[in-house]
């Protein structure tokens, strides 16, 4: 039985990754600062209390367990840092990432999966799908934090060609009970009110957590045979419209008044009006009004070789 170490394993994404691995017959070592009851008591699940930047604590884990797979889900915000990322958080993550990759290699880990973000891309002013080789532009601190992690992993793996390495650039995630990233797409960053342009038929690229978990499970089980390491875009197959988000929130959550503003064609005239403070733009849920009329999509063709991306806003759980 292979043993998988999941850093940040008690966060929203991490808990679902751990659950999926357990169902597929892996032994899971979940490392996080605080426990989470989601997987508590399940067979082959072990929780280890290790602070996110505790290098000694992680070194002990690698020595204590025979880890064959590392899934690095720490520093995805929320359970580690909170939604606002500053220079201090960037530096903490940068030092920790370098350490954990190098230590994993000294302990003969055979597969490494990093959770990164689609925010690293320079979204073009066209509707062309974004492939994994698209231009990079880290215009938020969160994107910078994750891109630093990508570069650290790539640098370390240049010395370990035999290791299967995967970087997942994930769109903002959601589940039935976790609508925060959905709600951010209809929230005016200036005053926090909910709004929609026209009838809300413009869309956003988001990712059901279960699509991400399905991909990770398939990569762990199949990637070695396929010899297909590298960078993968992970998201739902289709854009989620603002109208879809409003319907979802009204059906499953409390949603108050939603203001209807001018048509989508008027978005360009409103760029720059909404907020723009430093704190808002470092917030990884910040809504950039200037990108609303592009409807950019991630190209998930490469990742689709490993998974079907069967989950969406209509069947999420």
């Amino acid at each position: 039985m292979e043993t998988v170490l999941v850093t940040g394993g008690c966060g929203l994404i991490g808990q679902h990754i751990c659950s999926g691995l357990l169902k597929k017959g892996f032994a899971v070592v979940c490392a996080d600062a605080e426990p989470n009851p989601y997987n508590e008591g399940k067979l082959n699940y072990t929780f280890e209390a290790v602070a996110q930047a505790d290098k000694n604590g992680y070194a002990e884990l690698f020595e204590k367990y025979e880890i064959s797979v590392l899934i690095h889900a720490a520093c995805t915000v929320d359970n580690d840092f909170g939604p606002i990322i500053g220079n201090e958080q960037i530096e903490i993550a940068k030092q920790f990432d370098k350490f954990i990759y190098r230590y994993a290699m000294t302990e003969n880990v055979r597969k490494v999966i990093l959770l990164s973000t689609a925010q690293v891309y320079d979204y073009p002013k066209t509707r062309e799908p974004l492939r994994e080789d698209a231009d990079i532009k880290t215009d938020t601190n969160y994107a910078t934090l994750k891109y630093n992690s990508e570069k650290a992993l790539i640098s370390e793996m240049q010395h370990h060609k035999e290791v299967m390495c995967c970087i997942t650039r994930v769109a903002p995630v959601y589940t039935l009970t976790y609508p925060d990233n959905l709600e951010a797409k209809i929230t005016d960053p200036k005053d926090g009110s909910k709004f929609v342009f026209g009838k809300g038929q413009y869309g956003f690229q988001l990712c059901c957590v279960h699509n991400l978990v399905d991909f990770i499970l398939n990569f762990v089980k199949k990637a070695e045979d396929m010899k297909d390491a590298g960078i993968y875009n992970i998201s739902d197959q289709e854009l989620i419209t603002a109208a879809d988000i409003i319907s979802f929130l009204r059906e499953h959550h409390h949603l108050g008044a939603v203001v209807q503003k001018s048509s989508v064609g008027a978005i360009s005239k409103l760029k720059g009006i909404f907020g723009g403070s430093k704190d808002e733009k470092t917030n990884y849920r910040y809504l950039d009004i200037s990108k609303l009329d592009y409807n950019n999509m991630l190209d998930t063709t490469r990742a689709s070789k490993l998974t079907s991306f069967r989950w969406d806003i209509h069947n999420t759980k």
Side-chain angles (χ1 to χ4, degrees):
M1 179 183 293
E2 284 189 291
T3 300
V4 183
L5 171 61
V6 182
T7 72
C10 287
L12 170 77
I13 298 174
Q15 68 182 17
H16 287 290
I17 292 172
C18 291
S19 178
L21 289 165
L22 293 169
K23 291 175 182 176
K24 294 296 182 181
F26 292 93
V28 174
V29 178
C30 167
D32 215 323
E34 300 290 340
N36 182 324
Y38 192 85
N39 291 300
E40 195 174 287
K42 294 181 180 178
L43 185 65
N44 299 320
Y45 175 79
T46 303
F47 169 74
E48 294 281 1
V50 186
Q52 176 262 326
D54 184 358
K55 296 179 181 179
N56 289 334
Y58 273 96
E60 291 176 5
L61 292 187
F62 281 112
E63 293 167 6
K64 181 178 179 180
Y65 300 96
E66 190 173 338
I67 306 296
S68 58
V69 181
L70 167 64
I71 299 177
H72 189 26
C75 305
T76 52
V77 200
D78 291 329
N79 65 318
D80 293 317
F81 294 134
I84 302 291
I85 298 299
N87 292 331
E88 180 183 357
Q89 288 76 26
I90 291 174
E91 187 59 30
I92 289 172
K94 187 175 183 179
Q95 296 304 319
F96 176 64
D97 291 337
K98 289 180 179 178
F99 166 80
I100 198 165
Y101 299 145
R102 182 154 299 179
Y103 212 97
M105 294 304 98
T106 65
E107 296 298 319
N108 299 313
V109 170
R110 309 310 299 169
K111 296 175 186 173
V112 179
I113 299 174
L114 165 66
L115 271 65
S116 186
T117 176
Q119 287 189 31
V120 300
Y121 288 120
D122 181 11
Y123 279 76
K125 295 180 180 180
T126 68
R127 297 191 179 184
E128 288 295 316
L130 281 161
R131 296 188 297 272
E132 288 84 355
D133 60 355
D135 292 338
I136 300 297
K137 183 180 180 181
T138 58
D139 57 2
T140 68
N141 283 354
Y142 179 58
T144 298
L145 181 151
K146 300 310 293 185
Y147 190 49
N148 285 345
S149 189
E150 289 187 19
K151 291 187 289 185
L153 179 57
I154 291 170
S155 176
E156 184 63 35
M157 291 305 109
Q158 289 177 350
H159 309 291
H160 304 278
K161 302 292 186 182
E162 74 285 0
V163 176
M164 293 298 297
C165 172
C166 170
I167 294 171
T168 60
R169 288 179 177 162
V170 187
V173 300
Y174 66 91
T175 66
L176 182 65
T177 57
Y178 180 76
D180 295 31
N181 288 333
L182 294 169
E183 192 168 353
K185 300 303 182 185
I186 59 168
T187 301
D188 183 335
K190 184 177 181 180
D191 59 18
S193 64
K194 303 299 181 286
F195 77 100
V196 63
F197 286 112
K199 295 183 179 179
Q201 296 307 310
Y202 52 93
F204 304 97
Q205 191 77 82
L206 292 139
C207 181
C208 180
V209 163
H210 307 297
N211 282 327
L212 172 59
V213 173
D214 284 352
F215 173 82
I216 289 173
L217 296 178
N218 282 308
F219 184 88
V220 171
K221 293 179 73 69
K222 300 177 183 178
E224 198 163 7
D225 294 334
M226 297 177 66
K227 301 186 185 302
D228 201 10
I231 299 172
Y232 291 85
N233 289 333
I234 309 295
S235 69
D236 291 358
Q237 287 187 326
E238 303 291 338
L239 296 177
I240 297 176
T241 68
D244 289 334
I245 292 171
I246 291 169
S247 296
F248 176 87
L249 292 174
R250 282 184 171 154
E251 180 179 357
H252 301 289
H253 302 274
H254 174 73
L255 181 65
V258 177
V259 178
Q260 189 172 42
K261 297 185 178 179
S262 301
S263 65
V264 176
I267 292 176
S268 59
K269 299 177 183 177
L270 293 162
K271 294 173 184 177
I273 292 177
F274 296 88
S277 72
K278 182 178 179 181
D279 280 349
E280 287 170 339
K281 289 192 175 182
T282 57
N283 186 327
Y284 83 123
R285 293 193 185 100
Y286 174 74
L287 175 61
D288 188 345
I289 301 294
S290 68
K291 296 177 181 177
L292 284 186
D293 48 357
Y294 301 156
N295 279 1
N296 294 122
M297 290 189 68
L298 296 178
D299 184 343
T300 58
T301 302
R302 187 164 189 243
S304 294
K305 296 176 183 177
L306 285 167
T307 192
S308 62
F309 295 107
R310 59 197 172 104
W311 301 95
D312 58 36
I313 197 172
H314 303 293
N315 66 1
T316 185
K317 58 182 179 178

